[in-house]
């Protein structure tokens, strides 16, 4: 058998198991090893870094290891954007949300989140251009989270008029 040079193998003795009972535990262990590093953890260590680039690099390395493309998931990138909003870094949040808009243009959620980031950054006009996109896409694709999206449009218009 000619395995790839970077193919990692191991052998583990599973105490108390026999030929019939070891199968499911072996498969589970194999899957854990195969997908090691799948999850990207968002924590305070990212506060002083370019977390978006760290995430993109993480999934690029994972793709190279697995031999197929693993793109950063929309939800994970969205969580990173809101992490930056909680860290009071709206510029990083906006950049992160813009990444999601570029990569998931049919998602209502990414436009709503970009609107939130722009609003936090004080750019109400741009936020007001994104919230209607969220409503339009949410209605088109049947998003269950439409009420908050719908409320953002008049709330942002009112905030803009009060300036």
């Amino acid at each position: 058998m000619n395995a790839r040079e970077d193919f990692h193998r191991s052998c583990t003795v599973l105490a108390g198991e026999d030929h019939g009972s070891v199968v499911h535990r072996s498969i589970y262990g194999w899957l854990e090893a195969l997908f090691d590093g799948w999850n990207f953890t968002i924590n305070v260590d990212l506060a002083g870094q370019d977390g978006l680039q760290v995430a993109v690099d993480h999934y690029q390395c994972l793709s190279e290891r697995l031999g197929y493309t693993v793109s950063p998931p929309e939800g994970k990138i969205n969580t990173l954007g809101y992490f930056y909003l909680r860290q009071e870094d709206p510029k990083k949040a906006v950049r992160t949300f813009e990444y999601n808009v570029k990569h998931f243009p049919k998602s209502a959620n990414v436009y709503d989140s970009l609107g939130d980031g722009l609003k936090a950054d004080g750019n109400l006009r741009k936020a007001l251009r994104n919230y209607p996109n969220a409503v339009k896409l949410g209605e088109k694709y049947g998003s269950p989270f439409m009420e908050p999206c719908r409320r953002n449009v008049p709330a942002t218009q009112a905030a803009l008029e009060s300036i």
Side-chain angles (χ1 to χ4, degrees):
M1 178 178 183
N2 295 326
R4 291 175 25 176
E5 286 183 35
D6 63 345
F7 183 78
H8 300 284
R9 26 181 127 39
S10 67
C11 180
T12 304
V13 175
L14 299 172
E17 300 296 336
D18 62 28
H19 186 74
S21 65
V22 75
V23 175
H24 70 281
R25 289 193 53 204
S26 299
I27 292 171
Y28 184 81
W30 173 76
L31 287 170
E32 279 190 322
L34 179 65
F35 291 103
D36 183 44
W38 186 270
N39 192 31
F40 177 73
T41 304
I42 298 170
N43 57 38
V44 292
D45 295 338
L46 292 175
Q49 300 182 49
D50 181 351
L52 178 58
Q53 190 60 55
V54 172
V56 168
D57 290 347
H58 171 84
Y59 287 99
Q60 178 62 39
C61 287
L62 188 60
S63 296
E64 289 169 10
R65 185 171 65 85
L66 295 175
Y68 64 91
T69 301
V70 181
S71 299
E74 174 190 341
K76 189 61 80 168
I77 298 301
N78 212 53
T79 299
L80 179 62
Y82 281 106
F83 165 79
Y84 282 125
L85 285 182
R86 286 189 305 281
Q87 296 291 314
E88 298 181 5
D89 195 340
K91 300 257 185 261
K92 281 185 183 174
V94 167
R95 184 170 162 262
T96 302
F97 292 137
E98 286 173 339
Y99 175 93
N100 252 359
V101 166
K102 179 180 177 185
H103 290 87
F104 302 97
K106 293 182 179 179
S107 168
N109 186 50
V110 299
Y111 288 97
D112 187 64
S113 297
L114 179 55
D116 290 347
L118 290 164
K119 196 165 151 178
D121 197 31
N123 198 332
L124 297 175
R125 290 187 198 290
K126 278 190 178 179
L128 198 52
R129 288 195 291 265
N130 281 278
Y131 288 136
N133 288 336
V135 172
K136 179 180 163 187
L137 287 168
E139 289 172 349
K140 181 176 181 177
Y141 296 110
S143 173
F145 308 107
M146 288 310 305
E147 276 316 302
C149 291
R150 285 189 186 102
R151 286 194 299 265
N152 281 330
V153 174
T156 306
Q157 284 173 330
L160 191 57
E161 290 167 5
S162 71
I163 294 177

